[in-house]
Amino acid sequence: MDQEKKLPRRAMIKAAAISATAAFVGKVNLPATEQPTNDDPTKIQGTPPGKVGTRSPFEQPSKKASDISGRTPLQDLYGIITPSDLHFERSHAGVPAINPDKYELLIHGMVERPMIFKLKDLKRFPAISRIAFIECSGNFRSGKETMTPQEICGLTSQSEWTGVMLSTLFREVGVSPKATWFLAEGSDAAVMTRSIPVEKGWKDAMIAYGQNGEAIRPEQGYPARLFLPGWEGNMNVKWIRRIELSDQPFMTREETSKYTETIKDHKIRQFSFDMDARSIITYPSYPQEVEKGWIEIRGIAWSGRGKIERVEISTDGGKHWQYARLQEPVLDKAHTYFRYLWHWDGSPTEIMSRAVDDTGYYQPFLKQLIDARGAEMGGYHLNPVTSWLIERGGRVLFKPEKWK
Amino acid sequence: MLRSISIIGMLFLLVACKGNNEKFPERYGFGRLASQAEIDSQNISIRPDGHGLPAGSGIAATGKVIYLAKCAMCHGPTGTEPTANRLVAPFGDTTKSKTIGNYWPYATTIFDYIRRAMPFNAPGSLTNEEVYHLTAFLLCSNHIIDSTKIINQVTLPEIVMPAKHLYVDDDRKGGNEVK
């Protein structure tokens, strides 16, 4: 009895809270809505601090995974940073498990001094951080009305990337002025390779080891990846192990057989690096439902060529266009959040957004892409205006457009 | 006392605002030189001019035997089967699948890719000789070489692939145009 009395009050509360948590955690598999909650949370101690934070069990955003990729739930996000565990992933042979102490980056070829950098070496160089998107160039799906933003274009995500500028490493190894291309090679089982113009390496390429303030996630290239702001996702080689300077492209499988697109006259367009401007309304979108009255239309817009200049919204199927409000920060080569307040009178309509970037490029309609590239156009670099149909009852459906 | 601390603090702030006097060296001396042996152990890339191709040679008939044992289970017995990754469809074939025969611009890529990534269930397991044989088999099946042609570091880069002339460089450059 005395013993019990001596237990400090704090410890007792903690113990009670822990057992309450344990009971709670034990039920986590239940659908969120069936989990026990307190009708009055002011009458019971809450969960004590833990080692890592958790999502509310009521919030279950998740990637939509296939055998080769996982898509970001764009419709569940409120801002421009993609939570790291929801960043899209695409790999060609799965996610490798790499020991950071054994990790090495080799830079050789047309350089004065071929060199090897361990992860701790990379971290010693002056670092920079940059918020920018990475988007897979095969990021457009269509075909049926019941598609979410995630399914249509969820292969784009945004993080704050931290690392060393590739130009710093280029100086360290003494890249030859005659080098015009470099090969980036990953250490996954696909030993992924892409050729990249040296110019991009000097301009803004980075070897990133940080993502949203912590170590980069395995799915995004742990412990280090190449980051090429604004350029197609596949070139941002993850788990990078080797860079070879050369005076010509290597014509790897991923820049010939894949990541090239058929355009008019059976021509095949190669080295399409830049991601053109694009936008999508994420609210309202399928499978959400809306009510008559005020609706704030929300979404993201981005361009691999610069900043978003403006986003135009149509709520009448493209007849009239209004400017959306852009949420600061509006960053170079970055997802930019937009909003537009609209009063819906309840009649069926079609809403859509169109991004304009600071080069003056207008996000095209699918028809414009077909006119430019031909009906046989390939599936890469498709960034068409995406429409949502709003039915009388408030149901929102994607408007799929056929082209093949 | 307190006052003098805050004055010193303000002075520091002023200095920081006035200018940043960091000096960035041309080189930092981090990392180490790579030896030739270290480079060779990792450098598996093949260029279209043949640079990087190892010694060895291959022929279609031998390639077919290896193909049936190590590749057919996923790519079909002949490679013409409509699998997700169809390997054979000669140029001009009416199929819509993109293959080595109707789409690939360089033959060296076949060697490079098979050696680095195939077979999918055992990547990096093939010998250079096996890769040469498989390359010959796939080139022959796609009607690019005949069955007697020997594929090696000299003959492989000489092959002109049927789809090569279709390749054009990206000419999109932003601005108000759709390409």
Side-chain angles (χ1 to χ4, degrees), chain A residues 102-160:
Chain A
K102 298 209 173 121
Y103 171 84
E104 287 182 344
L105 172 63
L106 166 67
I107 307 185
H108 71 111
M110 294 173 71
V111 302
E112 274 168 45
R113 297 168 292 277
M115 292 188 74
I116 289 175
F117 303 100
K118 297 187 79 71
L119 185 62
K120 67 171 182 7
D121 299 325
L122 294 177
K123 289 183 180 173
R124 286 174 76 190
F125 287 102
I128 75 134
S129 291
R130 176 167 189 171
I131 295 172
F133 74 86
I134 295 184
E135 180 182 18
C136 174
S137 59
N139 191 24
F140 178 59
R141 293 278 178 281
S142 183
K144 56 175 188 193
E145 289 183 326
T146 50
M147 288 177 78
T148 63
Q150 178 171 30
E151 291 166 317
I152 298 161
C153 64
L155 297 175
T156 186
S157 306
Q158 176 150 291
S159 297
E160 181 202 57

Side-chain angles (χ1 to χ4, degrees), chain A residues 104 113-116 171-172 185 191 193 241-242 244 248 251 260 268 270 274 276 359 361 373, chain B residues 26-30 32 34 42-43 45 47 49 103-104 109 116 166-168 170 172 174-175 179:
Chain A
E104 287 182 344
R113 297 168 292 277
M115 292 188 74
I116 289 175
R171 275 190 295 273
E172 200 70 19
E185 184 177 84
V191 208
T193 40
R241 70 166 197 184
R242 188 168 74 90
E244 179 177 356
Q248 55 188 275
M251 300 295 176
T260 51
I268 300 166
Q270 193 182 26
D274 301 84
D276 276 327
T359 72
Y361 177 87
R373 301 181 191 173
Chain B
E26 185 64 14
R27 289 169 56 197
Y28 295 84
F30 305 156
R32 64 179 161 84
Q42 273 201 29
N43 186 2
S45 50
R47 287 198 321 214
D49 61 4
Y103 202 80
W104 288 39
T109 312
R116 73 174 59 240
L166 297 175
Y167 277 72
V168 293
D170 179 28
R172 296 169 307 142
K179 280 190 158 179

Side-chain angles (χ1 to χ4, degrees), chain A residues 6 14 29 62 74 77 116 143 146 153 178 360 387 396 404:
Chain A
K6 267 181 206 154
K14 205 172 172 191
N29 287 342
S62 57
L74 298 174
L77 306 181
I116 289 175
T146 50
C153 64
K178 293 204 182 99
S387 293
V396 185
K404 267 190 184 169

Side-chain angles (χ1 to χ4, degrees), chain B residues 144-163:
Chain B
I144 293 162
I145 59 169
D146 68 43
S147 60
T148 58
K149 175 95 176 176
I150 289 167
I151 293 299
N152 59 32
Q153 59 192 156
V154 176
T155 58
L156 186 60
E158 283 170 359
I159 292 169
V160 178
M161 296 293 273

Side-chain angles (χ1 to χ4, degrees), chain A residues 141-352:
Chain A
R141 293 278 178 281
S142 183
K144 56 175 188 193
E145 289 183 326
T146 50
M147 288 177 78
T148 63
Q150 178 171 30
E151 291 166 317
I152 298 161
C153 64
L155 297 175
T156 186
S157 306
Q158 176 150 291
S159 297
E160 181 202 57
W161 302 101
T162 299
V164 48
M165 294 304 287
L166 190 54
S167 55
T168 303
L169 300 179
F170 275 6
R171 275 190 295 273
E172 200 70 19
V173 299
V175 164
S176 159
K178 293 204 182 99
T180 48
W181 291 80
F182 70 91
L183 183 83
E185 184 177 84
S187 50
D188 55 335
V191 208
M192 175 57 58
T193 40
R194 286 295 300 258
S195 306
I196 297 142
V198 161
E199 215 185 330
K200 182 74 173 173
W202 284 114
K203 191 175 156 212
D204 60 1
M206 189 200 280
I207 300 294
Y209 46 75
Q211 179 183 6
N212 296 333
E214 62 174 342
I216 210 163
R217 299 259 166 156
E219 297 83 355
Q220 268 68 63
Y222 183 84
R225 80 175 305 166
L226 181 63
F227 173 48
L228 304 172
W231 283 19
E232 63 181 14
N234 178 254
M235 308 177 72
N236 294 250
V237 173
K238 300 189 275 192
W239 316 291
I240 190 165
R241 70 166 197 184
R242 188 168 74 90
I243 287 176
E244 179 177 356
L245 279 299
S246 174
D247 56 5
Q248 55 188 275
F250 288 73
M251 300 295 176
T252 72
R253 182 252 189 175
E254 308 302 335
E255 61 210 21
T256 54
S257 168
K258 305 290 163 191
Y259 302 101
T260 51
E261 56 269 359
T262 309
I263 51 170
K264 277 195 173 149
D265 305 323
H266 307 290
K267 294 273 184 234
I268 300 166
R269 187 160 70 194
Q270 193 182 26
F271 300 132
S272 308
F273 303 141
D274 301 84
M275 298 305 300
D276 276 327
R278 183 168 192 182
S279 67
I280 183 158
I281 292 173
T282 54
Y283 180 85
S285 66
Y286 176 81
Q288 297 145 0
E289 296 198 0
V290 289
E291 281 172 52
K292 214 158 107 170
W294 293 109
I295 295 175
E296 187 174 70
I297 295 174
R298 301 168 179 155
I300 48 169
W302 63 100
S303 168
R305 296 186 192 274
K307 288 185 183 175
I308 287 298
E309 178 81 23
R310 64 176 184 277
V311 175
E312 301 179 357
I313 304 284
S314 174
T315 54
D316 59 4
K319 287 191 210 80
H320 302 90
W321 295 87
Q322 320 288 336
Y323 291 2
R325 270 172 291 135
L326 298 187
Q327 169 69 59
E328 291 293 335
V330 177
L331 301 170
D332 185 31
K333 305 180 178 64
H335 284 175
T336 300
Y337 209 86
F338 65 82
R339 299 185 175 89
Y340 178 75
L341 189 64
W342 172 49
H343 195 271
W344 182 44
D345 64 8
S347 50
T349 191
E350 181 182 338
I351 62 169
M352 59 184 95

